[in-house]
Amino acid sequence: MTMLKWITKDTNINFMKSRVFTYVLSLILVALSFLSIYYKGFNFGIDFSGGVLMEIKSEQPINIEEIRSKLSVLNLDELNLQTIGAENKELMIRAQADNANEEAQRKAVVEIKKILGDNYEYRRVENVGPQVGDELKKAGIIASVLAMVAIAIYIWVRFEWQFAIGALIGLFHDIIITVGLLSYFRFDFSLTTIAAILTLVGYSINDTVVTYDRIRENLKKYRKMPQLELLNKSINDIFSRTILTGVTTLVAVIPLYIWGGEALESFSFVILAGLIIGTYSSIYICTAFLNLFDLRAVNHKEEENYFATIG
């Protein structure tokens, strides 16, 4: 209860004091993300790369080298084995047939089951051909681009162009750093990951819009307050809401990341990392960016246009 009272009380933090440092930090993180994407690439999941994905479970701890030896007789272009959980009773098998067509993938599933026998529980079996994987990759890119365009149009219509550019810079910042982390830590990049990224986009934009709305309200309410002080006040006004929203989301996402298993690992990681990065960017990127402009002149021009319209 004491912690909750501390979070919800009025704050008076000088966020803008460290804006130069955070600009430099963000530039470094974005540059490192591009380097990771360029040199390490992505660990594309079966959705995009095609192949066979099987999750098996045994009553006894699994000997991964023994299974690798058994499956080595198959004509597989790629074979990755990964145990799941602390007890080593579950195993994730990723395989790709040498000629990489759908029929070969289906045969690979049959052959793997024949070799392993009935001693295992087959909890998950997925089979995606390379052509389907390429189509899903294109569809994922198109969906992401369309989402960005729709958000850009919404922000541009709702706010003045200075606000819109700040929001889009923050959005670009969040996506690049999050995707860079996925590349660096070699998380699976699949359709589930794209869904998580689009969820992150929505959260980040929502947080930024709430902050921008408060800035516009304060511009009309405190006409003589210095601009930097007004930006700080606006962030502090909604800071408790931001923290409570973030904590609530973390309470749900952290258990999902720890116990959600391999299938949800990349999804929960994106939400977890994006939550932190998005909150940071709404303050130190999107809001700090506005200090480069005379917002009072922008607000005064908006009011003049409004009164000219109704007059």
Side-chain angles (χ1 to χ4, degrees), residues 222-237:
Y222 304 99
R223 296 180 179 274
K224 295 184 179 180
M225 181 181 290
Q227 180 166 292
L228 207 58
E229 183 180 342
L230 185 138
L231 294 178
N232 266 320
K233 176 173 176 53
S234 300
I235 297 171
N236 279 285
D237 285 349

mmCIF file of all heavy atoms in Angstrom, residues 222-237:
data_model
loop_
_atom_site.group_PDB
_atom_site.id
_atom_site.type_symbol
_atom_site.label_atom_id
_atom_site.label_comp_id
_atom_site.label_asym_id
_atom_site.label_seq_id
_atom_site.Cartn_x
_atom_site.Cartn_y
_atom_site.Cartn_z
ATOM 1 N N TYR A 222 -1.271 27.309 -18.906
ATOM 2 C CA TYR A 222 -0.133 28.052 -18.331
ATOM 3 C C TYR A 222 0.567 28.823 -19.443
ATOM 4 O O TYR A 222 1.573 28.383 -19.986
ATOM 5 C CB TYR A 222 0.852 27.082 -17.661
ATOM 6 C CG TYR A 222 0.221 26.214 -16.594
ATOM 7 C CD1 TYR A 222 -0.158 24.898 -16.877
ATOM 8 C CD2 TYR A 222 0.003 26.708 -15.312
ATOM 9 C CE1 TYR A 222 -0.738 24.103 -15.903
ATOM 10 C CE2 TYR A 222 -0.576 25.925 -14.328
ATOM 11 C CZ TYR A 222 -0.944 24.615 -14.639
ATOM 12 O OH TYR A 222 -1.517 23.833 -13.669
ATOM 13 N N ARG A 223 0.025 29.949 -19.761
ATOM 14 C CA ARG A 223 0.500 30.715 -20.924
ATOM 15 C C ARG A 223 1.854 31.384 -20.701
ATOM 16 O O ARG A 223 2.525 31.750 -21.671
ATOM 17 C CB ARG A 223 -0.546 31.757 -21.324
ATOM 18 C CG ARG A 223 -1.856 31.127 -21.799
ATOM 19 C CD ARG A 223 -2.880 32.174 -22.188
ATOM 20 N NE ARG A 223 -4.108 31.564 -22.671
ATOM 21 C CZ ARG A 223 -4.319 31.178 -23.934
ATOM 22 N NH1 ARG A 223 -3.370 31.373 -24.837
ATOM 23 N NH2 ARG A 223 -5.462 30.628 -24.279
ATOM 24 N N LYS A 224 2.240 31.604 -19.449
ATOM 25 C CA LYS A 224 3.498 32.294 -19.178
ATOM 26 C C LYS A 224 4.579 31.362 -18.631
ATOM 27 O O LYS A 224 5.680 31.810 -18.347
ATOM 28 C CB LYS A 224 3.263 33.434 -18.180
ATOM 29 C CG LYS A 224 2.366 34.543 -18.735
ATOM 30 C CD LYS A 224 2.244 35.687 -17.752
ATOM 31 C CE LYS A 224 1.362 36.806 -18.309
ATOM 32 N NZ LYS A 224 1.229 37.941 -17.371
ATOM 33 N N MET A 225 4.259 30.111 -18.471
ATOM 34 C CA MET A 225 5.245 29.159 -17.942
ATOM 35 C C MET A 225 6.307 28.884 -19.001
ATOM 36 O O MET A 225 5.971 28.663 -20.169
ATOM 37 C CB MET A 225 4.553 27.857 -17.538
ATOM 38 C CG MET A 225 5.504 26.813 -16.951
ATOM 39 S SD MET A 225 4.651 25.256 -16.498
ATOM 40 C CE MET A 225 3.700 25.829 -15.075
ATOM 41 N N PRO A 226 7.607 28.901 -18.631
ATOM 42 C CA PRO A 226 8.666 28.564 -19.586
ATOM 43 C C PRO A 226 8.415 27.195 -20.215
ATOM 44 O O PRO A 226 7.938 26.272 -19.543
ATOM 45 C CB PRO A 226 9.928 28.566 -18.716
ATOM 46 C CG PRO A 226 9.608 29.465 -17.576
ATOM 47 C CD PRO A 226 8.152 29.280 -17.311
ATOM 48 N N GLN A 227 8.760 27.082 -21.491
ATOM 49 C CA GLN A 227 8.395 25.878 -22.235
ATOM 50 C C GLN A 227 9.008 24.610 -21.643
ATOM 51 O O GLN A 227 8.325 23.589 -21.520
ATOM 52 C CB GLN A 227 8.823 26.026 -23.699
ATOM 53 C CG GLN A 227 8.479 24.800 -24.553
ATOM 54 C CD GLN A 227 8.596 25.070 -26.027
ATOM 55 O OE1 GLN A 227 7.813 25.832 -26.584
ATOM 56 N NE2 GLN A 227 9.586 24.450 -26.676
ATOM 57 N N LEU A 228 10.294 24.661 -21.266
ATOM 58 C CA LEU A 228 10.946 23.477 -20.718
ATOM 59 C C LEU A 228 10.276 23.047 -19.412
ATOM 60 O O LEU A 228 10.085 21.848 -19.161
ATOM 61 C CB LEU A 228 12.433 23.752 -20.491
ATOM 62 C CG LEU A 228 13.371 22.547 -20.538
ATOM 63 C CD1 LEU A 228 13.271 21.835 -21.873
ATOM 64 C CD2 LEU A 228 14.794 22.972 -20.266
ATOM 65 N N GLU A 229 9.900 24.015 -18.607
ATOM 66 C CA GLU A 229 9.204 23.716 -17.357
ATOM 67 C C GLU A 229 7.825 23.126 -17.637
ATOM 68 O O GLU A 229 7.360 22.215 -16.927
ATOM 69 C CB GLU A 229 9.065 24.996 -16.524
ATOM 70 C CG GLU A 229 8.424 24.788 -15.172
ATOM 71 C CD GLU A 229 8.297 26.080 -14.383
ATOM 72 O OE1 GLU A 229 8.998 27.063 -14.722
ATOM 73 O OE2 GLU A 229 7.489 26.118 -13.427
ATOM 74 N N LEU A 230 7.173 23.625 -18.673
ATOM 75 C CA LEU A 230 5.854 23.121 -19.026
ATOM 76 C C LEU A 230 5.928 21.663 -19.493
ATOM 77 O O LEU A 230 5.061 20.848 -19.162
ATOM 78 C CB LEU A 230 5.244 23.994 -20.115
ATOM 79 C CG LEU A 230 3.802 23.650 -20.519
ATOM 80 C CD1 LEU A 230 2.981 24.911 -20.711
ATOM 81 C CD2 LEU A 230 3.767 22.819 -21.790
ATOM 82 N N LEU A 231 6.971 21.330 -20.270
ATOM 83 C CA LEU A 231 7.137 19.943 -20.706
ATOM 84 C C LEU A 231 7.349 19.017 -19.511
ATOM 85 O O LEU A 231 6.777 17.928 -19.443
ATOM 86 C CB LEU A 231 8.314 19.840 -21.680
ATOM 87 C CG LEU A 231 8.159 20.546 -23.027
ATOM 88 C CD1 LEU A 231 9.426 20.399 -23.857
ATOM 89 C CD2 LEU A 231 6.959 20.019 -23.795
ATOM 90 N N ASN A 232 8.177 19.462 -18.571
ATOM 91 C CA ASN A 232 8.399 18.678 -17.364
ATOM 92 C C ASN A 232 7.112 18.483 -16.571
ATOM 93 O O ASN A 232 6.817 17.386 -16.094
ATOM 94 C CB ASN A 232 9.435 19.366 -16.472
ATOM 95 C CG ASN A 232 10.841 18.849 -16.717
ATOM 96 O OD1 ASN A 232 11.056 17.656 -16.912
ATOM 97 N ND2 ASN A 232 11.798 19.754 -16.721
ATOM 98 N N LYS A 233 6.346 19.548 -16.436
ATOM 99 C CA LYS A 233 5.090 19.471 -15.688
ATOM 100 C C LYS A 233 4.112 18.509 -16.365
ATOM 101 O O LYS A 233 3.430 17.729 -15.689
ATOM 102 C CB LYS A 233 4.455 20.854 -15.555
ATOM 103 C CG LYS A 233 3.087 20.825 -14.871
ATOM 104 C CD LYS A 233 2.540 22.192 -14.580
ATOM 105 C CE LYS A 233 1.142 22.074 -13.993
ATOM 106 N NZ LYS A 233 1.063 21.153 -12.819
ATOM 107 N N SER A 234 4.047 18.572 -17.668
ATOM 108 C CA SER A 234 3.130 17.696 -18.405
ATOM 109 C C SER A 234 3.470 16.224 -18.190
ATOM 110 O O SER A 234 2.579 15.391 -18.005
ATOM 111 C CB SER A 234 3.176 18.027 -19.900
ATOM 112 O OG SER A 234 2.790 19.374 -20.132
ATOM 113 N N ILE A 235 4.766 15.905 -18.206
ATOM 114 C CA ILE A 235 5.183 14.520 -17.973
ATOM 115 C C ILE A 235 4.855 14.110 -16.541
ATOM 116 O O ILE A 235 4.347 13.012 -16.293
ATOM 117 C CB ILE A 235 6.688 14.351 -18.246
ATOM 118 C CG1 ILE A 235 6.996 14.650 -19.718
ATOM 119 C CG2 ILE A 235 7.137 12.927 -17.907
ATOM 120 C CD1 ILE A 235 8.468 14.712 -20.030
ATOM 121 N N ASN A 236 5.145 14.982 -15.581
ATOM 122 C CA ASN A 236 4.865 14.672 -14.183
ATOM 123 C C ASN A 236 3.369 14.519 -13.926
ATOM 124 O O ASN A 236 2.957 13.722 -13.067
ATOM 125 C CB ASN A 236 5.438 15.762 -13.275
ATOM 126 C CG ASN A 236 6.928 15.596 -13.026
ATOM 127 O OD1 ASN A 236 7.358 14.736 -12.272
ATOM 128 N ND2 ASN A 236 7.732 16.424 -13.682
ATOM 129 N N ASP A 237 2.554 15.264 -14.666
ATOM 130 C CA ASP A 237 1.098 15.171 -14.484
ATOM 131 C C ASP A 237 0.569 13.765 -14.771
ATOM 132 O O ASP A 237 -0.372 13.304 -14.124
ATOM 133 C CB ASP A 237 0.388 16.181 -15.402
ATOM 134 C CG ASP A 237 0.510 17.604 -14.888
ATOM 135 O OD1 ASP A 237 0.945 17.788 -13.736
ATOM 136 O OD2 ASP A 237 0.175 18.537 -15.647
#
